[in-house]
């Protein structure tokens, strides 16, 4: 197989045991994987999730055939790592959401505007599917086709998820500014 980009070429060399290529691959992709995991889960967990992504990737590297670029392959692993993490903490997150709703109900006239309009909060209001599509295309700059490969869905699905995410974000900002 031939690599279509330098990072994929590094991955193919890393797959063969080239330790310099392995280190260069991590250096070349780590920041993007971290930003993706931070956006999908939270920045506080991003270091651990990034590390877990690379552990999984290096265990799976012998099966990497370069049918897609390494970025797409790694971000797919990162998405699954984040999904696994979220499933593991779902009870805690539900409790946190209930507590936050209770605070809002107890004191609706004095909200914290910085919190209500924070990017993480706005992204957190989106469904997992819409947030992932939005982050992949609008934050990380992947094409719709690349995002569709990461998510393993048709390109049209990514387009509709991003469009709906934009609508929801615009509405959320307008509502926050109106209150």
């Amino acid at each position: 197989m031939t690599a279509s980009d330098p990072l994929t070429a590094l991955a193919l060399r890393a797959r063969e045991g080239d330790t310099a290529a392995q280190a260069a691959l991590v250096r070349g992709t780590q920041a993007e994987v971290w930003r993706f995991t931070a956006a999908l889960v939270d920045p506080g967990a991003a270091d651990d999730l990034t590390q877990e992504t690379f552990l999984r990737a290096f265990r799976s590297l012998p099966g990497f055939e370069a049918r897609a670029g390494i970025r797409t392959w790694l971000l797919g692993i990162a998405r699954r790592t984040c999904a696994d993490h979220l499933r593991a903490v779902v009870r805690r997150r539900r409790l946190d959401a209930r507590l936050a709703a209770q605070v809002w109900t107890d004191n609706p006239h004095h909200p914290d505007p910085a919190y209500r309009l924070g990017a993480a909060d706005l992204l957190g209001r989106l469904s997992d599917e819409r947030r992932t599509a939005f982050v992949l295309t609008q934050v990380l700059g992947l094409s719709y086709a690349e995002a569709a490969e990461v998510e393993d869905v048709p390109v049209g699905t990514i387009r509709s998820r991003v469009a709906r995410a934009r609508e929801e974000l615009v509405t959320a900002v307008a509502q926050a500014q109106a209150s």
Side-chain angles (χ1 to χ4, degrees):
M1 297 254 154
T2 60
S4 59
D5 67 86
L7 289 173
T8 301
L10 281 173
L12 292 172
R13 289 194 351 246
R15 180 183 71 180
E16 302 305 319
D18 182 335
T19 57
Q22 291 170 354
L25 178 61
V26 171
R27 281 192 307 274
T29 57
Q30 185 174 18
E32 187 170 45
V33 170
W34 187 93
R35 285 190 351 243
F36 185 56
T37 60
L40 291 184
V41 179
D42 71 70
D47 288 340
D48 290 339
L49 292 170
T50 299
Q51 183 177 11
E52 177 64 22
T53 296
F54 281 102
L55 289 172
R56 290 181 183 192
F58 278 100
R59 280 193 302 264
S60 300
L61 201 53
F64 177 66
E65 297 178 2
R67 286 188 217 139
I70 192 66
R71 288 177 67 218
T72 302
W73 187 75
L74 270 174
L75 292 173
I77 292 171
R79 179 182 57 83
R80 289 186 296 279
T81 300
C82 289
D84 291 346
H85 171 77
L86 291 174
R87 277 191 289 275
V89 297
V90 72
R91 285 189 190 119
R92 187 186 57 156
R93 293 194 82 183
R94 284 183 184 157
L95 176 60
D96 289 346
R98 279 190 231 128
L99 292 174
Q102 182 66 39
V103 168
W104 175 254
T105 304
D106 290 346
N107 198 4
H109 300 293
H110 302 289
D112 177 2
Y115 172 75
R116 290 176 57 225
L117 291 176
D121 179 54
L122 288 171
L123 288 174
R125 295 177 187 199
L126 299 173
S127 70
D128 289 342
E129 292 173 340
R130 290 179 184 170
R131 181 175 54 245
T132 301
F134 186 84
V135 169
L136 285 170
T137 59
Q138 308 305 302
V139 177
L140 296 179
L142 268 65
S143 69
Y144 286 105
E146 290 170 321
E149 282 186 52
V150 170
E151 286 289 283
D152 195 26
V153 297
V155 173
T157 300
I158 293 295
R159 289 186 190 284
S160 67
R161 287 176 183 175
V162 170
R164 288 187 179 113
R166 283 185 184 139
E167 290 171 6
E168 286 182 37
L169 292 171
V170 168
T171 301
V173 169
Q175 289 173 346
Q177 290 175 336
S179 56

